[in-house]
Amino acid sequence: MYAIVYKSDGFPICRQVAGVSPDPVVTWNSEDAARAFLSSKGKEGEFQWVQLTDEAMEKLALAIGCPVESMTVDPYPG
């Protein structure tokens, strides 16, 4: 799975879900799908896609400011 993050600080693109905290990280099932989404929005310069590995999840949790065990991921579109 792939998440999309801001290039400047690595903060993930999140989706608010009522009653869920922190916000889930929205994911794509393939690099091509994440890339196509960014391309369709004209945002390649501002955002990047990141493969969700254990190391990447730890960095995303640090960026959000929560324990990695508290993070949830949802596929896009959800």
Side-chain angles (χ1 to χ4, degrees):
M1 285 196 292
Y2 290 80
I4 290 178
V5 300
Y6 291 99
K7 284 186 174 180
S8 60
D9 62 9
F11 200 87
I13 304 304
C14 298
R15 181 177 67 183
Q16 293 182 338
V17 177
V20 175
S21 180
D23 298 338
V25 174
V26 178
T27 61
W28 285 256
N29 290 326
S30 71
E31 180 180 350
D32 288 341
R35 184 183 313 204
F37 177 82
L38 283 179
S39 186
S40 74
K41 304 295 183 191
K43 297 293 186 178
E44 299 94 333
E46 190 175 348
F47 302 97
Q48 67 185 23
W49 54 91
V50 175
Q51 186 171 17
L52 293 181
T53 62
D54 288 342
E55 183 180 341
M57 289 296 289
E58 290 173 11
K59 288 180 181 178
L60 292 173
L62 183 62
I64 293 174
C66 73
V68 71
E69 297 82 16
S70 297
M71 289 180 63
T72 60
V73 293
D74 283 340
Y76 181 88

